[in-house]
Amino acid sequence: MLALPAKPHWEEAYILDRCRGHPHIVQLLDIYMKPLGEHAIYLVMELWGRGLGHWQAVDANAFGPHSLRDVCNHIVDCVTYLHTGLGLLHCDLKPHSVLAKQLSDGLYAVKVADLGSAVEDGPCTTLRMGVGGRWGIKSTGL
């Protein structure tokens, strides 16, 4: 469990609840709130796997052509669902936000996590250059 400040993470819990049941998004299992006066909530998440960066560090050849194709298909399926199905942009998709688990046949299954930076796509969402030359998405209407 991860202790989080209450207000911003209600948004992540709401987004995760909307994604419930998708096979390539880490599932929200429960929400625990501390008693009154203590401003923290706990998001109880599905235990899935490690970030893609870990697997690449452990074995540079971890993803053969077939595994890599499946991993990319899972990520694209997730991002397509978020964008076209829910009207959301992930905004923080990186190797550590994609969790992979090695299956018994040696292939990998992945789930996307870390939806705390997701924003609703719309006319007020703009792409901006951030600190250090990184591109980011900023929702000016939220």
Side-chain angles (χ1 to χ4, degrees):
M1 277 192 271
L2 180 64
L4 306 168
K7 187 173 178 174
H9 294 284
W10 277 113
E11 295 173 14
E12 182 173 9
Y14 172 71
I15 290 169
L16 286 167
D17 190 54
R18 289 175 62 191
C19 298
R20 200 175 292 267
H22 191 278
H24 304 301
I25 298 176
V26 174
Q27 299 297 295
L28 175 66
L29 301 176
D30 201 1
I31 299 172
Y32 172 74
M33 296 185 311
K34 286 217 170 191
L36 293 174
E38 297 181 42
H39 299 281
I41 63 172
Y42 296 87
L43 302 180
V44 182
M45 308 292 292
E46 168 184 30
L47 179 62
W48 183 251
R50 296 184 150 187
L52 291 182
H54 166 78
W55 294 107
Q56 225 23 58
V58 168
D59 179 7
N61 299 316
F63 303 106
H66 297 294
S67 290
L68 188 57
R69 181 194 63 214
D70 290 342
V71 166
C72 290
N73 283 338
H74 292 174
I75 295 169
V76 168
D77 178 59
C78 172
V79 172
T80 301
Y81 172 75
L82 289 172
H83 186 66
T84 60
L86 300 179
L88 296 171
L89 301 173
H90 189 287
C91 299
D92 195 26
L93 194 58
K94 58 187 181 280
H96 294 292
S97 299
V98 179
L99 305 179
K101 180 192 293 188
Q102 191 169 23
L103 304 175
S104 59
D105 58 6
L107 297 177
Y108 290 84
V110 299
K111 290 194 177 194
V112 174
D114 194 16
L115 295 171
S117 298
V119 296
E120 292 196 30
D121 185 23
C124 295
T125 305
T126 57
L127 185 63
R128 298 187 182 203
M129 178 69 81
V131 176
R134 294 190 178 117
W135 286 96
I137 297 174
K138 170 105 173 142
S139 178
T140 57
L142 294 178

